[in-house]
Amino acid sequence: MKTLILALSLLVVSASSFARLSDGKVHLKLKGSQIVASVDSGFHFNKDAPAALVMGEESIDAVKKEPKEFIFDAAKAKAKPFAVNYYVCDDKNTVCEAHEEKFQITKGKLVAASGAAAPAVTKTANAAATIEAPLKKNKHGFYEDSFNAALKLAANEKKLLLVDFKAPWCPSCIRLESEAFGEPEFVKATEKFIKLSLNVDKPALKDIAKKYDIKGIPTMIVMNAKGEELTRILDFKPAPVLAKEIAVFQASSKATLAELRKKAEAGDLEARKLLADQAYAALKYEDVVKWLTPTGEPSLLLANSEIKVAERAYDKDKKKAAEYQKMFEKWIAVFPHSVDAIEWRPELLKLIKGESKEASVGVKKIGAENIAEIQNLLANDKARAEAFAVNKFGEMTGFEKAELLSLQVQTYKLMNETKKSEEAAAVLAKEVATFNLSLDRPGQIFVAVPYFKTANMKKEAQEWLEKLLKAHPDSDVYLMKLVGFHLREKQFAQALPYAEKAAAAKSDNALYYHSVLADILKELKQKEKAMDVINKALAMPEAKLESNKSTVTGLQDLKKSL
């Protein structure tokens, strides 16, 4: 099920149509000198994205990276404050969201380092890594990875800056580039902007992403030449929708967030609503509640934010389950026919069931209500279109029926209706067969893959990923997508040839790809080859860069384990 996402699914859904999905879905425990991170059903860790324990100037890469479990070596942490960084995606890979949690180990226990200064990696000693590339446009008219130069250009030309924060592995980022940025509506709507694309995985750009509090990608921010944020958009949206949102912004006062806050604190209702939209896009749900509650107006924006606040409180203290449950019940009663309510009910059912495998009368009643709402939307094209147009769970154009059918499968499973869940999966398979997928729109294929999985069509999912690689043979991204697909299925032998090709490719991530290859060889009991790969990786010039220190540590630990 789609939740932020950020992704982030980090992604570009507008400020008024997205919620951060993966908050509270990860659980970290200290076991000996290791921190073991697990993730709830419906989500997985992104193995292709950075993951490390950061302590002062030292960054220690995760020693184990599996879709459902990451392990971090905290032996050096002791009583010092540190941060654990990783990305979490929903299983549909629509959202990949960045997480940073601060801890310290006190008396053998993992304790949240509240109030502690955020541990951060200092800038790399390699000057080349911090020098910006010269201004150069890509095929969609975006300058790439040159923030300060783009700001200077915006000042010289007296234009606003449109900054796209992205990563090459992010499905919704790919969707923006292949489905929106080149479309006439978007090109026309943004012709008066200086457009800039920033790869948040690059060490030299991490400070910029942190400055603008980027918690999910893709995130697009409109800012003035001083770098002051004016508005932001989160997740993927089709070009016509993006063009409309940009037009609305262009017709606005273009006030900075600081200026809006002054108006809102003085009682300006419109400023409150605008700030709530921006807070939602920044995944700051407490701020949304702060700005909207005094208006007295119920909305899906407020509903999703109150639920997320209650969820976070529950994740910190399980004794607050009753309050969390009441929040679901409150908003389901207000918006019973919404897509949001259809997404909320399965979460409510999980909360009610807890560790029990039994489905109570209450669970079956709520489940039956959800099935009825799903069936109503499946049978009514107009009602379905209207419901998805205002939902706050992300952009699902073209996948509306598949989303509903997927939720139907999930609801039946929670009701312990095995036969009905299998029948619903078969119906979903028929819907999946109608997808008009194209190799020219790879992001849509990534969105479709989880539906293939729910419909028990893993073979077809694999075939589409193989087609993408064949269409883009020089792309290490597509190689690693197939590696990830096979690793999730514990198919190490099938993952091996793709991992070998990725490691041999010329890529900024070559060192990391070697570490993945070494892990696979270890799983296949090919210790000598794994050792050769590790030694080759450690001899690379990239291994000397400060930004790759955590990957090097992981390789060294793997070498010791062999």
Side-chain angles (χ1 to χ4, degrees):
M1 162 194 326
K2 188 166 184 178
T3 46
L4 184 194
I5 112 341
L6 146 192
L8 277 261
S9 60
L10 291 78
L11 318 157
V12 178
V13 168
S14 92
S16 61
S17 65
F18 208 56
R20 182 167 167 104
L21 301 178
S22 62
D23 286 338
K25 304 302 180 184
V26 177
H27 312 281
L28 291 89
K29 293 183 179 180
L30 183 65
K31 293 185 178 181
S33 63
Q34 294 184 326
I35 295 173
V36 179
S38 59
V39 63
D40 288 350
S41 61
F43 296 84
H44 62 273
F45 293 113
N46 192 319
K47 294 178 60 177
D48 300 329
L53 184 151
V54 181
M55 181 176 56
E57 298 182 0
E58 187 171 9
S59 178
I60 305 171
D61 201 16
V63 297
K64 178 181 179 181
K65 295 176 76 174
E66 294 291 342
K68 286 295 182 181
E69 183 180 73
F70 274 13
I71 297 179
F72 302 88
D73 184 2
K76 296 181 180 179
K78 297 181 180 179
K80 299 177 182 178
F82 59 90
V84 178
N85 299 307
Y86 52 88
Y87 282 81
V88 179
C89 308
D90 64 335
D91 282 349
K92 291 183 179 179
N93 287 323
T94 51
V95 171
C96 286
E97 299 166 341
H99 287 250
E100 178 183 81
E101 298 183 58
K102 303 166 192 172
F103 299 100
Q104 62 186 58
I105 297 173
T106 304
K107 296 181 179 179
K109 294 183 178 181
L110 189 64
V111 182
S114 57
V121 180
T122 57
K123 292 182 179 180
T124 174
N126 188 316
T130 60
I131 297 175
E132 290 190 344
L135 282 174
K136 182 180 179 181
K137 287 185 178 180
N138 63 23
K139 65 180 181 180
H140 295 310
F142 282 76
Y143 294 106
E144 294 187 328
D145 301 332
S146 300
F147 182 69
N148 292 321
L151 277 178
K152 184 176 180 180
L153 183 62
N156 291 340
E157 297 189 9
K158 294 181 172 55
K159 291 181 178 180
L160 297 178
L161 196 64
L162 176 65
V163 184
D164 172 36
F165 292 87
K166 66 167 190 178
W169 44 263
C170 160
S172 288
C173 302
I174 295 172
R175 290 198 73 184
L176 277 177
E177 293 178 0
S178 63
E179 300 175 42
F181 289 163
E183 296 300 306
E185 300 97 328
F186 181 82
V187 173
K188 181 174 177 59
T190 57
E191 60 186 0
K192 295 182 179 179
F193 291 88
I194 299 295
K195 293 183 287 188
L196 174 67
S197 175
L198 297 179
N199 181 352
V200 298
D201 277 353
K202 292 192 174 183
L205 301 176
K206 287 186 180 296
D207 286 345
I208 299 172
K210 189 170 185 178
K211 174 183 177 181
Y212 289 97
D213 206 9
I214 302 300
K215 292 187 173 71
I217 53 173
T219 289
M220 290 201 304
I221 296 181
V222 176
M223 59 184 73
N224 59 27
K226 296 179 181 179
E228 296 172 318
E229 180 176 341
L230 305 179
T231 193
R232 76 168 58 192
I233 302 170
L234 182 67
D235 197 13
F236 166 80
K237 281 192 173 180
V241 178
L242 286 175
K244 183 178 180 180
E245 291 191 7
I246 291 169
V248 170
F249 164 75
Q250 289 283 53
S252 71
S253 64
K254 301 182 181 63
T256 66
L257 294 183
E259 292 168 340
L260 283 175
R261 287 191 193 98
K262 288 183 180 179
K263 291 182 179 180
E265 289 166 355
D268 188 302
L269 183 60
E270 187 60 29
R272 280 183 172 274
K273 291 181 178 179
L274 288 172
L275 279 173
D277 280 345
Q278 289 304 292
Y280 199 67
L283 312 177
K284 296 178 179 179
Y285 304 111
E286 290 83 357
D287 287 353
V288 177
V289 174
K290 169 186 173 182
W291 296 121
L292 288 186
T293 300
T295 68
E297 299 177 7
S299 67
L300 288 172
L301 194 71
L302 178 59
N304 278 284
S305 298
E306 284 196 348
I307 287 173
K308 292 304 293 185
V309 171
E311 180 182 359
R312 288 175 174 176
Y314 166 72
D315 288 332
K316 291 180 180 179
D317 183 359
K318 298 304 180 184
K319 294 180 181 179
K320 295 187 177 181
E323 290 90 334
Y324 185 29
Q325 179 175 333
K326 287 179 182 178
M327 195 61 69
F328 273 124
E329 293 169 343
K330 167 188 173 181
W331 288 111
I332 287 173
V334 176
F335 299 106
H337 310 304
S338 65
V339 171
D340 303 70
I342 292 173
E343 300 266 5
W344 293 329
R345 287 190 188 95
E347 299 305 313
L348 175 58
L349 294 182
K350 293 176 188 176
L351 184 63
I352 294 173
K353 289 184 74 173
E355 298 298 322
S356 174
K357 295 182 180 180
E358 300 298 320
S360 66
V361 173
V363 164
K364 290 188 175 182
K365 182 177 182 295
I366 295 170
E369 291 172 356
N370 215 39
I371 296 299
E373 294 295 341
I374 290 170
Q375 291 295 339
N376 286 337
L377 291 185
L378 286 171
N380 190 322
D381 292 348
K382 181 179 180 183
R384 184 171 64 252
E386 291 174 349
F388 274 93
V390 297
N391 92 91
K392 298 292 180 266
F393 278 83
E395 171 58 41
M396 301 179 204
T397 300
F399 297 97
E400 297 93 340
K401 284 187 177 181
E403 178 68 11
L404 291 171
L405 289 167
S406 181
L407 288 166
Q408 185 168 259
V409 173
Q410 183 183 13
T411 303
Y412 276 133
K413 285 183 177 179
L414 289 166
M415 296 167 68
N416 293 352
E417 297 279 2
T418 303
K419 183 177 180 180
K420 290 184 178 179
S421 71
E422 291 173 350
E423 291 171 348
V427 176
L428 174 58
K430 292 180 180 179
E431 172 63 22
V432 169
T434 70
F435 286 170
N436 185 26
L437 300 179
S438 168
L439 294 176
D440 293 330
R441 299 189 172 220
Q444 287 190 351
I445 295 174
F446 295 140
V447 172
V449 164
Y451 295 122
F452 278 103
K453 181 179 178 181
T454 304
N456 300 316
M457 301 170 66
K458 292 181 180 179
K459 179 182 178 182
E460 289 81 352
Q462 179 180 335
E463 288 174 349
W464 271 108
L465 293 176
E466 289 172 346
K467 288 178 184 177
L468 276 174
L469 179 58
K470 186 175 181 179
H472 305 277
D474 298 326
S475 171
D476 53 290
V477 170
Y478 296 109
L479 280 167
M480 291 305 294
K481 289 293 182 184
L482 270 163
V483 171
F485 176 86
H486 287 299
L487 290 183
R488 282 189 287 274
E489 301 298 320
K490 302 293 183 181
Q491 297 171 340
F492 301 108
Q494 290 91 326
L496 179 59
Y498 299 114
E500 288 175 332
K501 289 181 181 179
K506 292 183 178 179
S507 169
D508 292 334
N509 295 315
L511 191 70
Y512 169 68
Y513 294 164
H514 276 71
S515 70
V516 173
L517 174 58
D519 275 324
I520 293 172
L521 290 167
K522 178 185 176 182
E523 292 289 343
L524 292 173
K525 313 290 187 190
Q526 299 182 29
K527 294 185 178 182
E528 289 186 9
K529 288 185 178 180
M531 188 67 76
D532 288 341
V533 170
I534 293 171
N535 289 333
K536 180 180 178 181
L538 293 175
M540 290 179 175
E542 298 97 306
K544 295 180 173 62
L545 295 177
E546 181 69 24
S547 58
N548 287 328
K549 192 170 184 178
S550 60
T551 303
V552 170
T553 301
L555 284 163
Q556 291 170 337
D557 290 340
L558 182 59
K559 185 175 182 177
K560 291 177 184 177
S561 72
L562 295 173

